[in-house]
Amino acid sequence: MLSILSIVKSCPNLTTVTRLIRIAERCFAFAMRMVPRQYRFQTALWLARATAPLFSSSAAYREQRIKNFHRPDEIVLYLLLNALTKNGTRFDLEIATKGYEHFERAYERGKGVLVIGHHAALTLLMVRLFYDKGLNPIVVTPDGSLRVAGTLVRAGTIQPSHMFLVQLRTKLRQGQLICAMPDRGEHHVGRTIEFETPAGGVILAPAIIDVAARCGAEVVFTEVRVAGRQLMATIAAPSSEIIVEDFISFVRECTAPSGGSSRKAANADRQNAKSRANAFFAALLSAFAPLREKYFQHRVDRR
């Protein structure tokens, strides 16, 4: 109780709901420390699939859902892994890759590499993939205290400022690896363009791509999704000199609806998720049944 009160008092400017969310995240992260580190990701993945309906009314979930880039279980998985990372609970993470050779070739040229993806939340885990391979990725983000997912290590960052593009150009000319998401939540006159995808309209700020092209750096595209019981990272290289157009095509391909057999598999996954959720709640009710019986027995005894 004292620890919960200390968390609440440490955040005086937050609303009650936000404080409760912070408390829930911290309790979840501490509870997960009882699970061996190598099993924490799989446990989080199972929980994400079993409890996705519980998150649908949260602001963090709706913020990701409105982009329509991820399935509900993928959004919840991101939220759970983010809660672990923010609260210092480490976890092992293996990401299968498709097209990683495109990045290897780009990095070997030594001219700097800009890795970009649209704002699909799990794509942030690419930073962990590069970190585990002994690289030092620098992330374009307003969060100056960003941690590499599942570790206690702070990632290098470039934060938005009036010198942001100059800093980006300097890092690329030094041959460094930069990770960024160039799509935006709203238009900025003269600085953004909008294009349509199967998931809806996407607003793109192409300035960072233009800077990378002008200073001779390599650019590759990426996305991370859940595939079965693991994460799958897709990496692609531009097919022409018009990098912005190639990136638009990549985003459209990533957000394209699945074919018939894939839709059937997705429907089956949703049904399995509902079954797991029902089983989870049934087990929860069963676990609390003895306490409920004691409570009612206590009330009967008092009468």
Side-chain angles (χ1 to χ4, degrees):
M1 179 62 71
L2 288 176
S3 62
I4 292 177
L5 289 175
S6 66
I7 297 171
V8 172
K9 291 178 180 178
S10 67
C11 306
N13 297 323
L14 299 178
T15 65
T16 301
V17 173
T18 304
R19 291 179 184 178
L20 292 175
I21 291 173
R22 294 281 179 88
I23 292 170
E25 288 180 343
R26 190 166 295 189
C27 291
F28 166 69
F30 289 165
M32 283 287 281
R33 293 180 187 181
M34 294 186 291
V35 179
R37 190 189 305 178
Q38 65 268 34
Y39 300 125
R40 289 173 188 167
F41 170 77
Q42 289 297 332
T43 302
L45 179 58
W46 181 85
L47 286 172
R49 288 170 169 167
T51 63
L54 297 178
F55 288 80
S56 59
S57 60
S58 69
Y61 176 91
R62 292 197 303 269
E63 181 183 351
Q64 295 296 327
R65 187 58 178 162
I66 198 171
K67 300 171 186 174
N68 204 24
F69 290 149
H70 273 331
R71 301 190 309 266
D73 60 307
E74 292 176 314
I75 297 173
V76 176
L77 176 61
Y78 162 74
L79 296 176
L80 294 179
L81 295 180
N82 190 45
L84 294 180
T85 301
K86 286 194 303 183
N87 291 286
T89 299
R90 293 175 290 176
F91 54 86
D92 292 344
L93 187 63
E94 292 186 11
I95 303 178
T97 59
K98 177 182 178 181
Y100 189 75
E101 66 275 6
H102 296 300
F103 170 76
E104 288 181 315
R105 284 196 293 266
Y107 192 74
E108 286 172 358
R109 294 188 177 104
K111 296 181 179 180
V113 181
L114 176 64
V115 179
I116 56 175
H118 50 294
H119 267 88
L122 290 176
T123 302
L124 289 168
L125 297 176
M126 284 298 295
V127 177
R128 174 64 186 269
L129 173 67
F130 294 135
Y131 173 80
D132 285 345
K133 290 184 177 295
L135 303 175
N136 183 31
I138 298 173
V139 186
V140 177
T141 175
D143 183 3
S145 59
L146 178 73
R147 287 179 176 173
V148 177
T151 75
L152 303 180
V153 178
R154 285 194 176 185
T157 61
I158 299 177
Q159 298 173 57
S161 70
H162 66 283
M163 294 294 289
F164 153 65
L165 292 177
V166 175
Q167 294 174 347
L168 174 68
R169 183 184 62 190
T170 300
K171 298 293 185 184
L172 288 172
R173 284 178 173 174
Q174 291 172 351
Q176 300 199 45
L177 166 60
I178 310 295
C179 299
M181 293 180 172
D183 54 316
R184 296 291 178 263
E186 58 185 18
H187 270 298
H188 295 276
V189 178
R191 292 188 291 170
T192 59
I193 59 176
E194 184 171 4
F195 61 94
E196 290 298 320
T197 74
V202 175
I203 299 171
L204 174 67
I208 61 173
I209 300 175
D210 294 338
V211 168
R214 285 200 300 268
C215 68
E218 301 293 328
V219 180
V220 295
F221 317 138
T222 190
E223 183 196 44
V224 178
R225 300 295 300 264
V226 172
R229 295 185 177 182
Q230 65 179 1
L231 294 174
M232 173 64 73
T234 300
I235 301 174
S239 58
S240 70
E241 294 183 357
I242 310 175
I243 300 176
V244 172
E245 290 296 328
D246 288 340
F247 179 66
I248 291 173
S249 297
F250 175 78
V251 176
R252 284 173 174 159
E253 182 178 346
C254 289
T255 55
S258 303
S261 59
S262 298
R263 280 196 296 269
K264 290 180 181 178
N267 290 332
D269 286 342
R270 281 193 289 271
Q271 291 299 324
N272 290 335
K274 290 180 180 178
S275 299
R276 286 192 292 268
N278 291 334
F280 174 79
F281 290 120
L284 194 62
L285 291 174
S286 177
F288 280 98
L291 293 176
R292 183 179 58 184
E293 291 176 3
K294 288 182 180 180
Y295 171 75
F296 286 116
Q297 185 62 45
H298 176 69
R299 294 193 64 178
V300 170
D301 292 343
R302 289 185 63 183
R303 291 175 183 174

